[in-house]
């Protein structure tokens, strides 16, 4: 990604983070480190056909994609109109980066088997990635109805319900999963997550250990393990676990902030500065990370280094897009095309960037990631219409929040505020725990002086853990003023003022 909106200061409240742990189980649904495909019992066909599909799935788990392709070619020769075949083809294409052909294969599977649990589950996962939780839920429910005893579908259904905030419904689904497959590791993982959300860390730890997922290094389980440590003030252990996970997922900003927070709370300021200070040089460094590193410098007595970071953090959320260089802020090594495009745009070589973008599009016509990347080039060369065209193609496959932000920015550049606002509302419906999206919608409501809506939205954002954002508190005070609630206005204004950088703390002994 070349252009990324600057993010606002956020408090990483554990409740907010735990709300997203269920779907962190696999990250992107179709590239999970855990096998999230439905039960093999759902495969119908001749014995030879079923054996080939099972072997292909085993080869997929081993990431032997050429072997998968060969097995599916044999299955195609036996039964070319079997939905299980097209589901397997879709997963193979997706794993190989052919996202748009994967979508076509998924549609073919559903056309051939509208009641196939395999096809319905695949569609549910793809809808979740592209359109969010709310739109995906009916598809998961349909898949579950088609195969009530399928443990993987039940696990995905439970996770989706949980991340929609429907914890009771999630619990009911997990209990059913426990009856269907008592030994399934996700039973105890999802129970651990519910226990952690209910502030029962001892029970959560016990359940998590019983799942066996930590010992298998499943990222979601490692994250939950670190969060439990953080909540229990076991900062050294939390820092070790979260830092190791951040090494595996260097692009996960939330993980980096968590690891930094654990180091700060564990009074390991020198280590924190060594690891995370380079990230603060980036234009898109989050105010939360800036604040953590600034406080670490402050404790070390380096006030000259701390002051600018704390001042940047206090500015809160900054609107607009920034250009990211390939080495900005000590980032992880990027794929060569991304690195080249970033550097060309950072050096204002827009002609070269456009030429490389066109070459990539010809070379990888089915890649959603390439379409998103080239869309960034469209914004950089001041062609928002082209950017929108490319972003919308990418969004058919995955529409994470950073991509939604860029689409919204492109709409606003073209003057289509209605489309931008509609997309913002849709994204928030699909990702209700996104405090930044809530704040963005509150800002739009404030521009229309709809102060009651602003107050409701910002109170919700505070509940999600964003209550230490100075900009949010100032806006909440403005809403209270607009609603003529003087006492409330003073409270939020004082809270915002208290977050401004104050006198330096004495250096650590």
């Amino acid at each position: 990604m070349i252009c990324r909106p600057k993010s606002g200061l956020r408090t990483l409240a554990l409740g907010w983070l735990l709300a997203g742990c269920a779907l962190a189980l696999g990250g992107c649904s179709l590239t999970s480190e855990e096998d999230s495909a439905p039960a093999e019992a759902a495969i119908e066909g001749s014995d030879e056909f079923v054996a080939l599909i099972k072997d292909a799935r085993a080869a997929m788990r081993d990431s032997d994609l050429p072997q998968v392709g060969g097995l599916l070619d044999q299955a195609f020769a036996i039964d070319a109109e079997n939905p299980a075949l097209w589901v397997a083809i879709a997963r193979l294409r997706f794993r190989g980066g052919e996202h748009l052909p994967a979508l076509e294969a998924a549609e073919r599977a559903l056309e051939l088997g509208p009641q196939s649990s395999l096809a319905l589950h695949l569609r549910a996962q793809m809808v979740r990635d592209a359109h969010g939780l709310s739109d995906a839920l009916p598809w998961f429910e349909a898949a579950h109805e088609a195969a009530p005893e399928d443990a993987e579908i039940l696990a995905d259904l439970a996770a989706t319900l949980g991340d929609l905030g429907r914890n009771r419904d999630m619990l009911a689904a997990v209990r059913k999963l426990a009856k269907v497959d008592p030994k399934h590791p996700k039973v105890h993982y999802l129970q651990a997550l519910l226990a952690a959300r209910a502030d029962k860390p001892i029970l959560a730890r016990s359940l998590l250990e019983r799942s066996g997922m930590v010992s298998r290094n499943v990222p979601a389980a490692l994250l939950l393990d670190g969060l439990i440590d953080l909540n229990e003030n076991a900062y050294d252990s939390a820092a070790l676990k979260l830092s190791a996970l951040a090494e595996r997922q260097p692009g996960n900003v939330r993980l980096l902030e968590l690891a930094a927070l654990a180091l700060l709370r564990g009074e390991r300021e020198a280590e924190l500065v060594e690891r995370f200070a380079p990230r603060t040089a980036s234009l898109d460094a989050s105010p939360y990370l800036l604040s953590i590193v600034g406080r670490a410098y402050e404790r070390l007595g380096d006030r000259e280094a701390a002051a600018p970071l704390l001042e940047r953090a206090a500015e809160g959320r900054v609107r607009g897009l920034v250009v990211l260089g390939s080495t900005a802020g000590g980032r992880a090594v990027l794929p060569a095309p991304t690195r080249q495009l970033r550097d060309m745009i950072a050096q204002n070589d827009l002609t070269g960037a456009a030429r490389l973008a066109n070459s990539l599009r010809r070379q990888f016509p089915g890649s959603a990631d390439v379409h998103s990347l080239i869309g960034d080039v469209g914004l950089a060369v001041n062609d928002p219409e082209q950017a929108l065209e490319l972003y919308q193609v990418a969004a058919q496959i995955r529409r994470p929040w950073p991509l939604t932000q860029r689409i919204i920015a492109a709409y606003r550049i073209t003057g289509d505020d209605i489309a931008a606002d509609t997309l913002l509302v849709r994204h928030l419906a699909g990702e209700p725990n996104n405090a930044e999206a809530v704040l963005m919608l509150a800002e739009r409501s404030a521009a229309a002086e709809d102060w009651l809506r602003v107050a409701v939205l910002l109170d919700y954002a505070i509940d999600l853990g964003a209550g230490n954002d100075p900009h949010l508190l100032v806006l909440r005070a403005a809403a209270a003023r607009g609603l003529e609630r003087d006492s409330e206005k003073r409270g939020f204004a004082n809270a915002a003022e208290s977050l401004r950088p104050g006198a330096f703390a004495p250096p650590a002994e």
Side-chain angles (χ1 to χ4, degrees):
M1 183 175 64
I2 295 172
C3 301
R4 176 176 175 179
K6 293 183 180 179
S7 58
L9 181 61
R10 294 286 179 269
T11 296
L12 294 177
L14 294 182
W16 177 28
L17 287 161
L18 288 169
C21 277
L23 292 185
L25 187 60
C28 173
S29 300
L30 304 180
T31 56
S32 170
E33 293 185 30
E34 291 286 291
D35 180 20
S36 61
E40 293 179 344
I43 304 171
E44 297 180 354
S46 68
D47 291 345
E48 184 180 3
F49 177 87
V50 171
L52 286 167
I53 297 298
K54 288 182 177 180
D55 289 346
R57 290 175 59 171
M60 182 79 78
R61 286 192 289 270
D62 294 336
S63 298
D64 189 349
L65 301 191
Q67 175 72 4
V68 176
L71 291 166
L72 294 183
D73 284 342
Q74 295 178 55
F76 185 89
I78 295 172
D79 188 355
E81 296 192 348
N82 191 307
L85 168 68
W86 287 96
V87 167
I89 290 172
R91 293 186 182 278
L92 171 62
R93 289 176 176 176
F94 199 98
R95 185 72 68 88
E98 291 294 313
H99 306 118
L100 299 177
L103 181 59
E104 294 173 358
E107 291 173 347
R108 179 62 174 156
L110 200 58
E111 177 185 341
L112 293 170
Q115 302 303 318
S116 164
S117 63
L118 291 166
L120 289 167
H121 187 210
L122 175 62
R123 173 53 62 94
Q125 292 175 321
M126 298 187 87
V127 169
R128 186 172 66 187
D129 289 343
H131 303 291
L133 303 170
S134 297
D135 286 353
L137 182 58
W139 289 99
F140 281 117
E141 292 173 335
H144 174 55
E145 184 177 350
E149 303 298 308
D150 190 301
E152 292 300 339
I153 293 175
L154 263 172
D156 263 357
L157 175 60
T160 302
L161 289 166
D163 279 0
L164 280 169
R166 294 170 54 177
N167 287 337
R168 288 188 178 181
D169 292 333
M170 177 185 177
L171 178 59
V174 173
R175 285 173 173 168
K176 186 169 184 179
L177 174 62
K179 291 181 180 179
V180 168
D181 186 356
K183 296 182 179 180
H184 197 292
K186 292 179 186 176
V187 171
H188 292 121
Y189 169 79
L190 293 170
Q191 289 174 335
L193 180 56
L194 284 167
R197 289 177 181 172
D199 197 23
K200 298 178 180 179
I202 297 176
L203 176 60
R205 173 80 68 201
S206 173
L207 291 165
L208 187 60
E209 289 177 356
R210 290 176 65 186
S211 77
M213 292 172 64
V214 171
S215 61
R216 297 205 314 275
N217 291 317
V218 178
L222 296 173
L223 172 58
L224 180 56
D225 195 25
L227 287 174
I228 294 172
D229 281 342
L230 196 57
N231 198 33
E232 290 291 281
N233 302 328
Y235 300 128
D236 287 344
S237 177
L240 180 65
K241 295 171 183 177
L242 295 170
S243 296
L245 187 55
E247 290 291 331
R248 292 173 57 182
Q249 301 179 6
N252 190 326
V253 175
R254 184 178 293 184
L255 260 180
L256 293 175
E257 292 172 336
L258 276 171
L261 177 63
L263 289 170
L264 183 69
R265 290 187 176 178
E267 299 182 352
R268 295 162 63 176
E269 293 84 3
E271 182 180 348
L272 193 162
V273 167
E274 180 181 359
R275 287 198 55 197
F276 294 101
R279 292 296 297 262
T280 64
S282 175
L283 293 175
D284 76 320
S286 74
Y288 192 81
L289 183 62
L290 292 171
S291 177
I292 291 175
V293 177
R295 293 303 177 193
Y297 273 124
E298 178 185 345
R299 290 182 183 178
L300 292 170
D302 191 344
R303 302 180 179 184
E304 185 176 350
L309 296 180
L310 295 176
E311 288 172 0
R312 286 172 60 193
E315 291 174 358
R317 180 174 177 270
V318 181
R319 299 173 181 83
L321 300 170
V322 296
V323 176
L324 303 179
S326 65
T327 59
R331 294 180 173 277
V333 175
L334 298 168
T338 304
R339 183 175 65 252
Q340 292 170 354
L341 283 171
R342 281 189 179 183
D343 287 343
M344 286 177 175
I345 292 178
Q347 297 164 11
N348 204 34
D349 182 8
L350 302 184
T351 300
R355 187 183 305 115
L356 177 57
N358 289 331
S359 174
L360 288 172
R361 191 174 186 180
R362 290 191 298 270
Q363 189 175 358
F364 304 104
S367 170
D369 296 333
V370 167
H371 278 78
S372 178
L373 186 62
I374 301 173
D376 291 347
V377 177
L379 279 187
V381 300
N382 198 29
D383 190 348
E385 288 83 4
Q386 182 195 38
L388 277 171
E389 177 186 336
L390 292 160
Y391 286 153
Q392 287 165 352
V393 172
Q396 294 179 62
I397 306 301
R398 284 189 295 249
R399 199 190 65 209
W401 173 236
L403 177 58
T404 296
Q405 289 176 288
R406 303 201 305 280
I407 296 174
I408 288 172
Y411 274 132
R412 299 216 188 281
I413 293 172
T414 62
D416 195 345
D417 285 333
I418 293 177
D421 291 340
T422 300
L423 178 58
L424 175 58
V425 171
R426 283 187 60 199
H427 190 98
L428 187 54
E431 191 183 349
N433 296 310
N434 188 326
E436 190 169 357
V438 176
L439 177 55
M440 184 181 290
L441 184 57
E443 290 172 334
R444 294 294 297 170
S445 301
E449 298 187 354
D450 187 349
W451 298 116
L452 180 58
R453 191 183 193 204
V454 172
V456 171
L457 287 168
L458 294 183
D459 287 346
Y460 176 56
I462 291 170
D463 287 342
L464 289 175
N468 276 10
D469 185 333
H471 174 68
L472 181 153
L473 295 171
V474 168
L475 189 59
R476 183 62 180 85
R481 182 176 64 248
L483 295 170
E484 299 182 351
R485 301 174 182 173
D486 292 340
S487 176
E488 192 175 88
K489 180 195 72 174
R490 287 192 297 273
F492 283 107
N494 290 339
E497 184 63 28
S498 70
L499 292 176
R500 298 184 182 278
F504 283 104
E509 296 294 336

